[in-house]
Amino acid sequence: MPTAVVLGGGVSGLAAAYYLHRLSTKFSKIILLEHQTRLGGWLHTTRYPDGAKFEHGPRSFRPAGHSGINTIDLVEELGLSDQVLAMPMSHPTTKFRYIYVSGRCHALPSGLGGVLRTLSPFSKPWVFSLASEPFRARSSEEDESVDSFIRRRLGPEIAEYAIDPMCRGIYAGNSRELSVRSCFPPLYKCESEDGSIVRGMLWPSKGRQRPERRSKLSKRARDERWAAWSLRDGTSQLTDTLVTQLSEDPRVEVRVGSPCEAVTPTDGKLQVVTQGETIQADHVFSSLYAAALSSLLPDQLVELKAFLSSIPAVTVAVVNLEYSGHVLPAQGFGHLLPSSEDGKMLGVVYDSCAFPEHDRQDKPSTRLTVMMGGAWIRELVSEVGSDLNENALTSLAVKGVQDQLGIVDSPSRSITKVQRNCIPQYLVGHWQKLAGIHSLTEKTNLPLSYIGSSYQGASVNDCIYNAKLEVERVLSS
Ligand SMILES: Cc1cc2nc3c(=O)[nH]c(=O)nc-3n(C[C@H](O)[C@H](O)[C@H](O)COP(=O)(O)OP(=O)(O)OC[C@H]3O[C@@H](n4cnc5c(N)ncnc54)[C@H](O)[C@@H]3O)c2cc1C
C-alpha cells in the first residue's frame, strides 16, 4: 500500500495533501501529521460572534503571477469564489502606503504622478532614479543583499526609505542581510537576464512571459484589476475548506496533536515516528520549518542537517487592536518604519481600511495590527524583557499607535501573539543552501520533498504553488 506522509498541517502541508488527493491515485494512503490540535499553521483567524475577525498571520493575498493565479484557481476549485473579498487597484489601501519618518507618516510614491513629484522624505522625484537605472552596470556577483542591489541600481534613498521598510513588512527581515536572488527573484532576473529592472518590467524576456489565466475567477481578478484579496470568513477559511475536502477522501488521514518525532531512511523508504508508532512512508513531504526538520533526521545525514539548520527564522510579535469608532487619520494599507527610525517596531497595518467587512457589525470600529521584532528581536527584548510578556507587548503597541497615528483612546479589544520562528530568512547565499539540500537528497536517494516557507518563497501563494509543483514532480517520477 504506497503511503505518502505529509509533515505539518499549515497551508503548505494541506495544499500538498490536497494536490496528492486530487491529482493521482498513486498513493493509496496519504497521512498528514500536525503537531498542534489546530490546523492552518500561520493562517489563523479569530472570529467573534459580533462579526469581528482578527488575523494573527497573513491577512491578504496577491492575485498576480503564476503562484497568485494558482491560488485563485484553487479558491474556485474549492467552491469559494463567492466568498472572495477583492480589493481593486483603485482602492485607497492599494494607492496609499506610508512610511513613518521623523515623527510623521509620508505617503510613498504611487502611480505616474507620484514618481514625477518630490515627496518627502525623498530629496528628488523617483523618476530620476528610474530613468538612470537602465544605464547602470550589471553585477557579476551570483547573489548580493537586497540593500546593496537597490543602492547600486536605484540609489541610497530608495534603498533606505522604500526597500528597507518593505523587507521589514514582508520578511520582518534586514535588507542588508536578505538575499535579492532568493527574496525578490523577479528583480534579480530583470538584471541578470535583461540588464535592468525597468527594462525587465516593461519588456520581459521570453522566458518570463505573463502566466495564462484559465479559471473564471482569475479572469475576473484581471478584469476587475484586483490588487489583493481575502475571504469573507478570514484567511482560515481557505485552510478550513482544504481540511473539509480532505476529510471526504477515505485515502486521506489527517492527524492533529501528532508530532513527527523522527524521520529515518531505511531500504529506500522513510520511517516516520509519531507517538510511539512507526509509519513506513514511500514518500515524505515535509512542510516543517527547515531547522525543525533537521532535528528529526538521523546523525548520519550530518551534511544535510547542517544545510537545513543553517536557514534561520525570526520571531514576530503580532498585536491586533480594535478601537471604538472610525479613528484612523488617513486611509491606506498601513505604515512601515525604516530600521533607522525604530528597529523593534516594524509597522502598523490598517486592517479596517482593507477589509471593513471584517469589522464588528454592531457598531463602528477600527481594527489595526502592530508587528514588532523580527530581525530586531533583541531591541524588542531589551524593551519588554526576554519572556516577551504579552501585556508589555500590548502596551508597547498601543503606545506606538498613539505616537505614530495620534490615536489616544484605549483599545476596546486586543489580542497579542508571539509568533516564534514564523518567517524564514533567505540570507545572501540562500540559493547555495538549496542547491546543497537538493544534491544531497538526490545523492542519498531520499524519498523526501521540501515544501513550506523555508525554501522558495514565504508568501501563501508561493507555499501553495511550490507544494503543487513538488507533488506533480513526485507523481511524474
Ligand atoms: C505574522 C505573519 C504575517 C504574514 N503575512 C502574510 C501575508 O499577508 N500574505 C502572505 O502571502 N503571506 C504572509 N505571511 C507568510 C505566510 O503566512 C507563511 O509563510 C505561510 O503561512 C507558511 O505556511 P507553511 O505551511 O509553510 O508553514 P506553517 O504555517 O509554519 O505550517 C507548518 C506546520 O507544521 C507543524 N509542525 C511543526 N513541527 C511539527 C512536527 N514535528 N510534526 C508535525 N507538525 C509539526 C506546525 O504546527 C505548523 O502547523 C505571514 C506570516 C506571518 C507569520
Side-chain angles (χ1 to χ4, degrees), residues 18-336:
Y18 173 80
Y19 288 116
L20 281 167
H21 133 88
R22 192 174 68 73
L23 297 178
S24 159
T25 50
K26 175 170 174 172
F27 294 103
S28 44
K29 189 115 199 97
I30 301 159
I31 302 173
L32 183 146
L33 300 179
E34 167 55 48
H35 187 165
Q36 311 286 330
T37 48
R38 187 185 63 81
L39 293 158
W42 300 121
L43 275 77
H44 187 182
T45 312
T46 294
R47 302 160 179 138
Y48 281 88
D50 57 30
K53 291 168 194 76
F54 295 93
E55 299 287 1
H56 311 305
R59 54 215 57 242
S60 61
F61 314 111
R62 290 189 63 239
H66 291 276
S67 65
I69 291 172
N70 178 65
T71 308
I72 293 185
D73 293 347
L74 174 65
V75 164
E76 180 170 295
E77 239 173 73
L78 293 173
L80 290 171
S81 296
D82 62 348
Q83 296 298 301
V84 169
L85 300 175
M87 197 166 63
M89 293 281 186
S90 55
H91 195 276
T93 306
T94 314
K95 288 206 284 195
F96 302 113
R97 285 165 189 265
Y98 303 94
I99 49 168
Y100 183 81
V101 176
S102 307
R104 73 179 179 90
C105 286
H106 306 253
L108 281 171
S110 150
L112 188 60
V115 300
L116 292 173
R117 281 184 297 144
T118 302
L119 292 174
S120 70
F122 300 95
S123 63
K124 57 180 196 279
W126 277 25
V127 69
F128 290 116
S129 305
L130 295 172
S132 57
E133 191 274 338
F135 305 101
R136 307 254 167 167
R138 73 172 84 177
S139 165
S140 56
E141 298 291 320
E142 287 191 295
D143 197 3
E144 71 181 308
S145 75
V146 178
D147 178 76
S148 100
F149 177 88
I150 296 294
R151 255 170 220 278
R152 207 165 43 68
R153 300 216 61 88
L154 292 165
E157 284 192 348
I158 294 186
E160 182 168 349
Y161 292 127
I163 303 302
D164 163 291
M166 186 171 97
C167 286
R168 283 157 61 79
I170 300 175
Y171 288 97
N174 188 337
S175 62
R176 287 148 200 87
E177 295 170 356
L178 294 174
S179 148
V180 70
R181 178 170 177 162
S182 300
C183 293
F184 299 102
L187 289 187
Y188 176 81
K189 282 189 188 149
C190 281
E191 184 187 65
S192 56
E193 292 171 13
D194 303 306
S196 145
I197 304 173
V198 171
R199 222 177 296 139
M201 294 279 178
L202 294 177
W203 302 284
S205 45
K206 276 233 162 71
R208 284 185 292 112
Q209 295 300 342
R210 292 187 205 292
E212 232 187 287
R213 288 170 193 268
R214 292 200 191 92
S215 69
K216 261 194 204 157
L217 193 61
S218 69
K219 289 179 186 147
R220 204 184 115 199
R222 177 197 56 205
D223 297 343
E224 295 175 6
R225 304 194 68 230
W226 295 0
W229 59 273
S230 182
L231 291 168
R232 228 161 254 293
D233 220 10
T235 60
S236 287
Q237 195 174 359
L238 179 60
T239 41
D240 292 349
T241 311
L242 283 169
V243 175
T244 306
Q245 291 267 326
L246 292 173
S247 69
E248 285 162 13
D249 183 342
R251 288 181 304 148
V252 181
E253 197 184 319
V254 175
R255 299 192 195 172
V256 293
S258 294
C260 169
E261 287 143 15
V263 178
T264 316
T266 17
D267 304 330
K269 294 195 178 197
L270 288 171
Q271 288 188 338
V272 177
V273 179
T274 178
Q275 298 181 301
E277 183 189 346
T278 300
I279 304 167
Q280 302 290 337
D282 295 273
H283 199 94
V284 170
F285 296 82
S286 172
S287 70
L288 310 188
Y289 160 46
L293 173 63
S294 171
S295 70
L296 302 178
L297 295 172
D299 289 345
Q300 80 234 35
L301 298 173
V302 57
E303 277 184 278
L304 179 60
K305 281 164 74 79
F307 275 125
L308 290 167
S309 61
S310 71
I311 300 173
V314 292
T315 294
V316 178
V318 179
V319 183
N320 302 103
L321 299 172
E322 181 195 68
Y323 293 87
S324 294
H326 299 301
V327 294
L328 272 172
Q331 298 291 292
F333 180 83
H335 68 261
L336 290 164

